[in-house]
C-alpha cells in the first residue's frame, strides 16, 4: 500500500463516522491526498492543497486539513471548498454540485 492509499484509509475511517465522505471521484481525491502529503513534508502539517499556506502553523491553523471551513461548506453546499470531503447526498447526486465560495477571510491570505 502506497502513501496515498494509507492516508485514504486512515482518513476514511476517521471521517466517515462523522458524516464526511471522500468525493467519489477517486482520481481527484488521490491528487488532493498527494498534495496533502507534499504539504506535510514541506510544512510539517497537512495544509489544504487548494489554498496558499505560509508555513507558519499558527497562521495556517484554519487551513490544516480538515480545515475549519469544511463543516459549514459541507452543511451548506454538500462539499468542502476543494471537493475532497462531501456529504453522502452530494456523492449520490441527490443535491446539486454547486460552486463552493472561499470562506477564508481575506486578512488570512498571504498575498
Amino acid at each position: 500500500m502506497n502513501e496515498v492509499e494509507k492516508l485514504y484509509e486512515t482518513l476514511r475511517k476517521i471521517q466517515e463516522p462523522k458524516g464526511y465522505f471522500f468525493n467519489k471521484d477517486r482520481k481527484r481525491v488521490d491528487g488532493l491526498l498527494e498534495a496533502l502529503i507534499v504539504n506535510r513534508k514541506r510544512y510539517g502539517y497537512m495544509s489544504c492543497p487548494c489554498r496558499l499556506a505560509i508555513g507558519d502553523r499558527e497562521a495556517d491553523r484554519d487551513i490544516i486539513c480538515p480545515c475549519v471551513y469544511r463543516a459549514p461548506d459541507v452543511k451548506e453546499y454538500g462539499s468542502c471548498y476543494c471537493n475532497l470531503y462531501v456529504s453522502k447526498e452530494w456523492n449520490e447526486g441527490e443535491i446539486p454540485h454547486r460552486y463552493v465560495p472561499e470562506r477564508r477571510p481575506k486578512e488570512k491570505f498571504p498575498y
Side-chain angles (χ1 to χ4, degrees):
M1 190 180 290
N2 68 34
E3 241 181 317
V4 170
E5 291 168 344
K6 285 179 188 174
L7 184 57
Y8 181 94
E9 284 305 316
T10 299
L11 294 177
R12 185 186 64 75
K13 289 176 186 174
I14 294 168
Q15 300 304 327
E16 282 187 3
K18 297 176 183 178
Y20 298 104
F21 299 87
F22 281 130
N23 186 327
K24 66 181 179 181
D25 181 347
R26 184 63 192 260
K27 186 175 179 181
R28 178 170 180 81
V29 168
D30 285 353
L32 290 166
L33 293 177
E34 193 172 307
L36 284 172
I37 291 166
V38 167
N39 284 346
R40 181 173 58 198
K41 290 175 182 174
R42 180 181 294 150
Y43 304 120
Y45 51 90
M46 294 192 305
S47 65
C48 177
C50 299
R51 295 179 169 105
L52 188 59
I54 62 170
D56 177 320
R57 186 180 191 90
E58 189 55 38
D60 292 336
R61 183 169 300 285
D62 64 320
I63 59 169
I64 294 175
C65 190
C67 73
V68 300
Y69 311 106
R70 178 187 70 172
D73 284 351
V74 173
K75 183 177 182 180
E76 187 173 348
Y77 298 97
S79 171
C80 71
Y81 181 66
C82 61
N83 301 134
L84 177 63
Y85 289 108
V86 301
S87 67
K88 191 173 186 178
E89 296 79 15
W90 191 94
N91 254 348
E92 293 175 358
E94 295 174 9
I95 59 174
H97 294 186
R98 301 182 335 206
Y99 171 75
V100 180
E102 175 64 270
R103 288 183 191 268
R104 192 174 200 211
K106 290 188 185 223
E107 61 270 11
K108 291 227 173 214
F109 286 33
Y111 45 86

